[in-house]
Amino acid sequence: MKQRLLLAPTLREAPSDAEVVSHQLLLRAGYIRQVAAGVYHYLPLGRRVLRKLEEIIREEMDRIGAQELLMPAIQPTELWQASGRYEVYGPELIRLQDRHGREFALGPTHEEVVTTLIGQEISSYRKLPLTVYQIQTKYRDEKRPRFGLLRGREFLMKDAYSFDIDEEGLDAQYWSMHNAYHRIFTRAGLRYLAVEADAGAIGGEGDTHEFMALTDIGEDTIVTCSSCQYASNLERAYAGAEQHASQEEQALEPPLAEARAFVPPMEQVSTPQVKTMEELMQFFKQEAKQMIKTMIVVADGKPAAVLLRGDHEMNETKVKNALQANELELADEDTIIRVTGAPHGFAGPVGLQVPVLIDAHAAGLREAIVGANQVDAHLRHVVPGRDFALPQVGDYRNVAEGDPCPRCEGTLQFQKGIEVGHIFKLGKKYSEPLHAAFLNEQGREQTMTMGCYGIGISRLLATCAEQLNDANGLTWPSEIAPFQVHIIPVSIKDDAQRDACEQLYAKLTAQGVEVLLDDRDERIGVKLKDADLIGIPLRIVCGRDLAEGLVEVKKRTEADKRLFSIEEAMQEALQMKR
Amino acid sequence: MKQRLLLAPTLREAPSDAEVVSHQLLLRAGYIRQVAAGVYHYLPLGRRVLRKLEEIIREEMDRIGAQELLMPAIQPTELWQASGRYEVYGPELIRLQDRHGREFALGPTHEEVVTTLIGQEISSYRKLPLTVYQIQTKYRDEKRPRFGLLRGREFLMKDAYSFDIDEEGLDAQYWSMHNAYHRIFTRAGLRYLAVEADAGAIGGEGDTHEFMALTDIGEDTIVTCSSCQYASNLERAYAGAEQHASQEEQALEPPLAEARAFVPPMEQVSTPQVKTMEELMQFFKQEAKQMIKTMIVVADGKPAAVLLRGDHEMNETKVKNALQANELELADEDTIIRVTGAPHGFAGPVGLQVPVLIDAHAAGLREAIVGANQVDAHLRHVVPGRDFALPQVGDYRNVAEGDPCPRCEGTLQFQKGIEVGHIFKLGKKYSEPLHAAFLNEQGREQTMTMGCYGIGISRLLATCAEQLNDANGLTWPSEIAPFQVHIIPVSIKDDAQRDACEQLYAKLTAQGVEVLLDDRDERIGVKLKDADLIGIPLRIVCGRDLAEGLVEVKKRTEADKRLFSIEEAMQEALQMKR
């Protein structure tokens, strides 16, 4: 491709609303343009990278025997009613009416549609296992689209769905897909981790892993162990101690019970204006881990309380799952007053009339300080189980850095990550309500066992850009670069330079190398700046050394430039071929 | 690919609502399934053909220097307001609101969006000419989705847009695209014609051609000449005579004026219950071509009259264009009575108070019989220009088979066609209102000159299926077939047969031939029936002749089967490689 006519408008400055480096660079280097919040054009360079990612994904899906199909974005909402997700998805599900008033959704995912299809078309165990996938545009009306392609409202996905006779079959397909994902992200040149995850709105009760690209701007916190392979999303991570402490019996094992026998009776203390954990610590001269904080939450509209040790943070996912809720939020002041009888800062477990979840660490305290459910008052010498009941002890907190690993003797560490892939064992979550069944070898009807497997392709593009860059621009590896070689004459008006570049361009192109030739009438400084910004892995500059038959060859990721004969440069360039 | 696990559910019977052969066969052979009216799944076989078509189109677009990008389906409706098409498109434009109440459309086409983009990004003549294209899913809420993929509501399109300095540049790109379209449809194995067309809701005033696949179920009528290359959509076709007769002066040239001098004065005749052309002919004992029929139409809500010779048919497109209307329909009885004072069947030109269009053939009659605008009455001896004015004489009729060709001495013939491609010279229709301008060589601002070029890819798939079939199923050419070779053992349980087939399969696959191996445990009759239905171009059956090292080779489109050695069969199969 010749650069003069290429639609790749580079910008010196990124728009001020581009907060993260991938968004800035993709805009500045002319890969994408915004149409509306969370809705983008992929300009030719961006489209090329997107297609490379699509092809990698296709190859790896085909390799594990997944079959490509294409399902529509427009989906009858009846299917979402049938699966029970019509409500769960809320305003993120874009709904529309056709001219006859029938309601449709723009698919954010295709479990309902594919389960219905396969349920209708497959009737015998002989056609199983089956994995289908598609590369298709998805829609989600994000509350806050941001970070360019990282959180868009229209985005490209690869979504795959597996159908099996039983859990064993699902397990095989799940791990085969797991391996395929490793190959895909490795080929894309990504630094990433596969982590244990929460199934969220899509999943069932089975295994689920997220593939997390490691980057400081990640919205997810990844928990890893200092010594073993344990890796989990913070949403789901648990610490070593929890394995035991989460048993209510453990919390009340004899030594603790004995120690509690010596705790004086509960006592109310006047604590005017003492609301925050810090104020409490100062007032009582005690550490946070000797307090229990009582968080009032609203789960699907109903209030509940969550008790945590003062130094711990609530894990919303764990609480949501425990309450089997779709939506969870912290209660507002009115609700707190209604539930506890006191304003924010004085809530406590004693006498509460709403459902109470107690984190095992809180439940395991010998005694604690808690709010008194009265303004300006707290209770001390409060013993869990003695002064308030322990109906639902469990793990409701975020693990903290330094916590013990649940799998080994190591300690837990935090990193930030962006989810680029997510695989789920769905089990029968969709096949049951949508009646996807088959006749088994014995001729009996049996419900299919499903898995689903997604990769956000446009997000992957942005994530690669987020990791693969330096101060001057993007630094693509050749497998996903829009072009592999960038040929730049110092002056396009110099006949010898132009001819040499054109010849090299023609030869490499004929050999299947994707080459961008900068035939613009621009100063060399401008051309090199643009070249760095665009980030093609190998650059060949043809200048005055051409008189001696030499050209300058430089890898985008390396500092040193080398003078090569044209033949040597050509050999170097052929190495870049995908 | 092994057929046992392939998701290609064949059906013995097509659903009763599948009216046309392509729809029936694509359903029966397991290429597609319906999700909702006009919304389909492409199952693996259908997806494969679709991808082949996409690749052909990509190659031919890249060959002429068009650059691939990807624009979103979600479009801000402000852009449609700005171009003036928000109203024109009517209920076919699917509209939706996001969670903040902002309105968007699901793009049926991308002129507005691409013109805005290019207007923002290109500012100099040095970046022109530019042609961009995308392969992308489009939405149109058809009043009556039908014929499977032929008229869908969600469909795959290739749409390209060219931007030029001037008309000359546009002309060059238009014809380069014209040639690319010929290569695409030829490679797809289609019987088609490029015909002159009407620009409809998209186009401007410039040239426009439709690429029409020839098939009896086509909704368009194509007019061709018996001896020259003239080919036009009936909507736009004109006959040889029209070139002269459309001049009002011609209609009143001296001989006619002289002849009219002898026509007696206009006279009213009582014609009880005489309404249709046939009844009139019988009543007056005259031919239809001696009558003028008066059609009352409603154009964008306003009534008008169209006068045609009794033996001619109104051409709605020509009338719509003459009235510069978006919507045109025949008036209902109430409107007819309001406009003419009489019920249907008695309308006439004398005394009408609405705008009147007069087809040149009607205007050129010496005298005529017309409705009297009174119930049960007609007028005879009516002379156009004497008894009623001739404000707007033109060509408002459909040409008829046998009419003279406008280009040569031949006569016109009719065929039926399906539009699979359409190219337009848009000129400044979008660049003007959407301000897509550049600085020309003299540094002055100049509006871009545009063209647009569409191919309905999913429709092309169905159209190929409509043309490429026989009584037993589909008959794909190897360039677009889902697989090129179909290997079928007579019995998969026969070890020798299975091994021979597996080996051939492995060898051919390694050589890059796409092979489907029927490894199902089915009777050979079932397998051969399915093979014919699916329509892979070369079939290799491995049966008892294997004992002598022979297999049966048959082309799908030929009747004769040949016994080949495995090596010969392999050579034959390699020929099928794309």
Side-chain angles (χ1 to χ4, degrees):
Chain A
M1 176 89 212
K2 307 280 182 79
Q3 200 167 346
R4 187 174 72 80
L5 294 180
L6 177 68
L7 179 63
T10 54
L11 304 172
R12 238 168 267 172
E13 305 277 340
S16 58
D17 61 338
E19 303 162 60
V20 299
V21 70
S22 60
H23 192 193
Q24 290 163 358
L25 287 176
L26 291 173
L27 286 169
R28 285 187 53 210
Y31 282 68
I32 61 169
R33 285 294 181 267
Q34 184 176 296
V35 181
V39 181
Y40 288 84
H41 291 300
Y42 301 86
L43 302 189
L45 291 175
R47 184 70 187 105
R48 290 180 80 96
V49 179
L50 211 52
R51 286 205 66 211
K52 303 252 159 110
L53 293 171
E54 289 173 22
E55 282 317 305
I56 291 173
I57 291 170
R58 252 189 200 113
E59 284 167 25
E60 298 301 340
M61 287 297 105
D62 292 349
R63 188 204 296 263
I64 59 167
Q67 300 175 36
E68 185 176 359
L69 42 63
L70 181 61
M71 295 182 277
I74 289 189
Q75 306 182 351
T77 47
E78 291 89 344
L79 298 180
W80 287 74
Q81 305 273 14
S83 74
R85 283 209 295 182
Y86 186 80
E87 299 303 333
V88 178
Y89 244 85
E92 288 193 359
L93 186 68
I94 299 179
R95 291 148 224 239
L96 57 91
Q97 290 206 333
D98 74 2
R99 65 198 298 158
H100 307 297
R102 188 174 172 198
E103 194 187 54
F104 291 89
L106 286 182
T109 173
H110 278 67
E111 281 79 11
E112 283 79 0
V113 169
V114 77
T115 308
T116 305
L117 170 70
I118 301 302
Q120 278 162 2
E121 302 301 335
I122 300 292
S123 53
S124 159
Y125 72 95
R126 269 179 296 190
K127 296 297 279 182
L128 298 177
L130 173 70
T131 299
V132 295
Y133 77 97
Q134 62 176 347
I135 290 178
Q136 193 253 8
T137 302
K138 301 255 183 293
Y139 299 87
R140 191 180 297 151
D141 199 356
E142 291 280 354
K143 197 167 187 174
R144 209 155 78 88
R146 61 192 292 218
F147 294 168
L149 304 181
L150 287 175
R151 189 175 287 277
R153 299 199 286 178
E154 173 167 339
F155 51 97
L156 193 66
M157 284 273 294
K158 183 284 299 181
D159 45 328
Y161 306 88
S162 68
F163 298 83
D164 276 277
I165 288 176
D166 53 22
E167 280 291 331
E168 201 182 321
L170 168 60
D171 197 60
Q173 295 223 62
Y174 183 85
W175 290 105
S176 151
M177 196 60 85
H178 201 282
N179 290 339
Y181 274 42
H182 277 301
R183 283 192 296 269
I184 290 166
F185 296 122
T186 303
R187 287 179 64 182
L190 207 67
R191 279 179 295 111
Y192 73 95
L193 269 181
V195 309
E196 296 176 9
D198 182 74
I202 288 179
E205 313 263 296
D207 288 343
T208 171
H209 282 86
E210 284 167 343
F211 288 78
M212 287 282 187
L214 302 174
T215 145
D216 290 343
I217 62 149
E219 293 182 315
D220 284 281
T221 300
I222 303 167
V223 179
T224 54
C225 172
S226 60
S227 66
C228 79
Q229 297 297 312
Y230 179 72
S232 173
N233 194 314
L234 178 63
E235 288 176 1
R236 183 195 161 86
Y238 57 102
E242 250 89 51
Q243 285 177 300
H244 312 292
S246 66
Q247 312 292 328
E248 189 178 347
E249 297 78 9
Q250 292 280 350
L252 296 171
E253 63 189 344
L256 178 61
E258 253 168 61
R260 282 175 172 169
F262 298 95
V263 178
M266 174 170 86
E267 172 188 18
Q268 182 162 330
V269 182
S270 168
T271 54
Q273 297 300 323
V274 176
K275 291 177 175 177
T276 67
M277 193 49 60
E278 205 149 316
E279 289 160 351
L280 272 173
M281 285 159 68
Q282 218 158 10
F283 184 91
F284 283 103
K285 309 269 182 280
Q286 297 224 8
E287 289 184 77
K289 66 182 179 190
Q290 292 168 298
M291 327 254 175
I292 290 176
K293 60 182 172 190
T294 303
M295 323 273 296
I296 307 299
V297 298
V298 178
D300 290 346
K302 286 178 219 135
V306 182
L307 308 190
L308 296 160
R309 218 170 66 185
D311 58 334
H312 286 163
E313 276 180 10
M314 182 171 77
N315 182 303
E316 289 196 21
T317 304
K318 293 174 183 175
V319 170
K320 210 153 90 174
N321 290 344
L323 295 171
Q324 296 182 300
N326 298 321
E327 298 269 346
L328 184 82
E329 47 188 7
L330 289 176
D332 58 18
E333 188 71 12
D334 284 355
T335 309
I336 292 173
I337 294 174
R338 187 157 46 80
V339 170
T340 69
H344 178 82
F346 302 98
V350 180
L352 273 189
Q353 297 301 317
V354 296
V356 178
L357 303 183
I358 306 146
D359 184 74
H361 288 274
L365 287 177
R366 179 171 173 262
E367 61 171 309
I369 294 162
V370 304
N373 294 331
Q374 283 180 33
V375 66
D376 294 345
H378 280 78
L379 302 174
R380 69 175 162 194
H381 305 315
V382 174
V383 176
R386 181 189 79 181
D387 299 320
F388 61 94
L390 301 176
Q392 213 171 340
V393 175
D395 175 15
Y396 306 118
R397 70 166 185 119
N398 283 337
V399 299
E401 281 192 284
D403 275 351
C405 171
R407 300 268 166 83
C408 77
E409 305 301 308
T411 54
L412 297 181
Q413 305 167 330
F414 283 9
Q415 290 177 81
K416 288 289 179 185
I418 297 172
E419 179 196 322
V420 287
H422 202 161
I423 61 177
F424 300 86
K425 283 189 183 173
L426 295 174
K428 295 172 180 165
K429 176 168 166 145
Y430 297 93
S431 48
E432 194 87 62
L434 294 163
H435 313 297
F438 62 97
L439 292 183
N440 66 18
E441 224 170 328
Q442 290 75 42
R444 265 184 237 111
E445 196 175 90
Q446 192 174 322
T447 302
M448 295 181 194
T449 300
M450 288 176 58
C452 77
Y453 317 91
I455 292 179
I457 306 179
S458 38
R459 178 183 280 190
L460 179 57
L461 163 62
T463 308
C464 289
E466 190 69 31
Q467 286 188 351
L468 301 163
N469 65 71
D470 62 17
N472 299 319
L474 294 157
T475 58
W476 302 110
S478 65
E479 174 121 29
I480 63 169
F483 295 91
Q484 286 118 41
V485 176
H486 203 163
I487 299 179
I488 306 172
V490 169
S491 167
I492 192 72
K493 286 179 173 162
D494 179 307
D495 289 349
Q497 286 180 24
R498 196 190 49 239
D499 290 353
C501 287
E502 292 271 8
Q503 277 175 32
L504 193 54
Y505 172 75
K507 276 186 199 163
L508 287 172
T509 304
Q511 298 265 350
V513 182
E514 293 168 298
V515 186
L516 184 63
L517 169 60
D518 193 343
D519 57 344
R520 297 176 301 163
D521 182 15
E522 291 281 3
R523 282 176 299 112
I524 182 66
V526 170
K527 290 191 278 195
L528 294 181
K529 242 190 159 74
D530 280 352
D532 277 349
L533 195 53
I534 291 172
I536 295 169
L538 192 76
R539 183 181 93 184
I540 301 176
V541 176
C542 186
R544 59 184 171 188
D545 294 310
L546 185 67
E548 288 124 64
L550 299 177
V551 293
E552 183 196 282
V553 175
K554 179 182 175 300
K555 288 197 174 150
R556 176 66 183 83
T557 50
E558 295 176 5
D560 60 319
K561 306 162 186 169
R562 290 160 297 166
L563 280 179
F564 276 179
S565 72
I566 289 185
E567 182 52 35
E568 285 168 333
M570 170 120 173
Q571 289 311 317
E572 188 78 11
L574 285 173
Q575 304 276 319
M576 307 304 294
K577 202 170 140 181
R578 289 177 72 216
Chain B
M1 177 88 214
K2 308 279 182 78
Q3 198 166 347
R4 186 174 71 82
L5 294 179
L6 176 69
L7 179 63
T10 54
L11 304 173
R12 239 170 267 173
E13 305 277 338
S16 57
D17 61 339
E19 302 163 59
V20 299
V21 69
S22 59
H23 191 192
Q24 291 163 356
L25 287 176
L26 291 173
L27 286 170
R28 284 186 54 210
Y31 282 67
I32 61 169
R33 283 296 181 265
Q34 183 176 298
V35 181
V39 180
Y40 288 84
H41 291 301
Y42 301 86
L43 302 189
L45 291 175
R47 184 70 187 104
R48 291 181 79 97
V49 178
L50 210 53
R51 286 205 66 211
K52 303 254 159 110
L53 293 171
E54 289 173 24
E55 283 316 306
I56 291 174
I57 290 170
R58 254 190 197 111
E59 284 167 25
E60 298 300 340
M61 287 296 105
D62 293 348
R63 187 204 297 262
I64 60 167
Q67 300 175 37
E68 184 175 359
L69 42 62
L70 181 61
M71 296 182 276
I74 289 190
Q75 307 183 350
T77 46
E78 292 88 342
L79 298 180
W80 287 74
Q81 304 273 13
S83 74
R85 284 208 293 182
Y86 185 79
E87 299 302 335
V88 178
Y89 244 85
E92 287 193 0
L93 186 68
I94 299 179
R95 291 146 224 240
L96 56 91
Q97 292 205 333
D98 74 2
R99 63 200 295 158
H100 309 296
R102 187 173 172 197
E103 194 188 56
F104 290 88
L106 285 182
T109 171
H110 277 68
E111 281 80 10
E112 283 79 2
V113 169
V114 78
T115 307
T116 305
L117 170 70
I118 301 301
Q120 279 161 1
E121 301 301 335
I122 300 292
S123 53
S124 159
Y125 72 95
R126 269 179 296 191
K127 296 296 280 183
L128 297 177
L130 174 69
T131 299
V132 295
Y133 76 96
Q134 63 175 347
I135 289 178
Q136 194 252 5
T137 302
K138 302 256 182 293
Y139 298 87
R140 191 179 295 153
D141 199 357
E142 292 279 355
K143 197 167 187 174
R144 208 155 77 89
R146 61 193 289 219
F147 294 167
L149 304 180
L150 287 175
R151 189 174 286 278
R153 300 199 288 178
E154 173 168 340
F155 51 98
L156 193 65
M157 283 273 295
K158 183 282 300 180
D159 45 328
Y161 306 89
S162 68
F163 298 83
D164 275 277
I165 288 174
D166 53 23
E167 280 291 330
E168 203 182 320
L170 168 59
D171 197 61
Q173 295 223 63
Y174 183 85
W175 290 105
S176 151
M177 196 60 84
H178 201 281
N179 290 339
Y181 274 42
H182 277 300
R183 283 192 296 271
I184 290 165
F185 296 123
T186 303
R187 287 179 65 183
L190 207 67
R191 278 179 296 110
Y192 73 96
L193 268 181
V195 309
E196 296 175 11
D198 182 73
I202 288 180
E205 313 263 296
D207 289 343
T208 171
H209 283 86
E210 285 166 344
F211 289 77
M212 287 283 186
L214 302 174
T215 144
D216 290 344
I217 62 147
E219 292 181 316
D220 285 281
T221 300
I222 303 167
V223 179
T224 53
C225 171
S226 61
S227 65
C228 79
Q229 295 298 311
Y230 179 72
S232 174
N233 193 314
L234 177 64
E235 287 176 2
R236 184 194 161 85
Y238 57 101
E242 251 88 49
Q243 285 177 300
H244 311 291
S246 66
Q247 312 293 328
E248 189 177 346
E249 298 78 10
Q250 291 279 350
L252 296 171
E253 63 189 344
L256 180 61
E258 252 169 59
R260 281 173 170 171
F262 297 95
V263 178
M266 173 169 88
E267 173 188 15
Q268 183 164 331
V269 181
S270 169
T271 53
Q273 296 299 326
V274 177
K275 291 177 178 180
T276 66
M277 193 49 59
E278 206 148 316
E279 289 161 354
L280 272 172
M281 286 160 69
Q282 218 159 10
F283 184 91
F284 284 103
K285 311 266 183 278
Q286 298 224 6
E287 288 184 75
K289 66 182 177 189
Q290 291 167 300
M291 325 255 175
I292 290 177
K293 60 181 171 190
T294 302
M295 323 273 296
I296 307 299
V297 297
V298 178
D300 289 347
K302 286 178 220 135
V306 183
L307 308 191
L308 296 159
R309 218 170 67 186
D311 57 334
H312 286 161
E313 275 181 10
M314 183 170 77
N315 181 305
E316 287 195 22
T317 304
K318 293 174 183 175
V319 169
K320 210 152 92 172
N321 290 344
L323 295 172
Q324 297 183 298
N326 297 321
E327 297 269 347
L328 184 82
E329 46 187 9
L330 289 177
D332 59 17
E333 187 72 11
D334 284 353
T335 308
I336 292 172
I337 293 173
R338 186 157 46 79
V339 169
T340 69
H344 179 81
F346 301 98
V350 181
L352 272 190
Q353 297 302 315
V354 296
V356 178
L357 302 182
I358 304 144
D359 185 73
H361 288 275
L365 287 177
R366 178 170 175 265
E367 63 172 308
I369 293 162
V370 304
N373 294 330
Q374 281 179 34
V375 67
D376 293 345
H378 280 78
L379 302 174
R380 68 173 162 194
H381 306 313
V382 175
V383 176
R386 181 188 78 180
D387 299 320
F388 63 93
L390 302 176
Q392 214 172 339
V393 175
D395 174 15
Y396 306 118
R397 71 167 185 116
N398 282 338
V399 299
E401 280 193 285
D403 275 350
C405 172
R407 301 268 166 83
C408 77
E409 305 301 308
T411 53
L412 297 180
Q413 306 167 329
F414 284 8
Q415 291 176 79
K416 288 290 178 186
I418 297 173
E419 180 197 322
V420 287
H422 201 161
I423 62 178
F424 300 87
K425 282 189 182 173
L426 296 174
K428 295 171 179 163
K429 173 166 168 149
Y430 297 92
S431 47
E432 195 87 61
L434 293 163
H435 313 299
F438 61 97
L439 292 182
N440 66 18
E441 223 167 330
Q442 290 74 43
R444 264 183 239 113
E445 196 175 271
Q446 193 175 319
T447 301
M448 295 181 194
T449 301
M450 289 176 56
C452 79
Y453 317 91
I455 292 178
I457 307 179
S458 37
R459 180 184 280 191
L460 178 57
L461 164 61
T463 308
C464 288
E466 190 68 32
Q467 285 187 353
L468 301 163
N469 64 70
D470 64 16
N472 299 319
L474 294 157
T475 59
W476 302 109
S478 65
E479 175 122 29
I480 61 169
F483 295 91
Q484 287 117 41
V485 176
H486 204 162
I487 299 179
I488 306 171
V490 170
S491 166
I492 193 71
K493 287 179 174 162
D494 178 308
D495 290 348
Q497 286 180 24
R498 194 189 54 238
D499 291 353
C501 287
E502 291 271 7
Q503 277 175 32
L504 192 55
Y505 171 75
K507 278 188 198 163
L508 286 172
T509 303
Q511 298 266 352
V513 182
E514 294 168 297
V515 186
L516 184 64
L517 169 60
D518 194 343
D519 58 344
R520 298 177 298 164
D521 181 16
E522 292 281 4
R523 281 175 299 112
I524 181 67
V526 170
K527 291 191 277 194
L528 294 181
K529 240 189 160 75
D530 280 351
D532 276 349
L533 194 54
I534 291 172
I536 295 170
L538 192 77
R539 184 181 91 186
I540 301 176
V541 176
C542 186
R544 59 182 171 191
D545 295 309
L546 184 66
E548 288 125 62
L550 299 177
V551 292
E552 183 196 281
V553 174
K554 180 182 174 298
K555 289 198 174 150
R556 176 65 183 83
T557 50
E558 293 175 8
D560 59 319
K561 307 164 187 170
R562 289 161 298 167
L563 279 180
F564 276 179
S565 73
I566 289 184
E567 182 51 36
E568 285 168 332
M570 171 123 172
Q571 290 310 317
E572 186 79 11
L574 285 173
Q575 304 276 321
M576 305 305 293
K577 202 170 141 182
R578 291 177 70 214

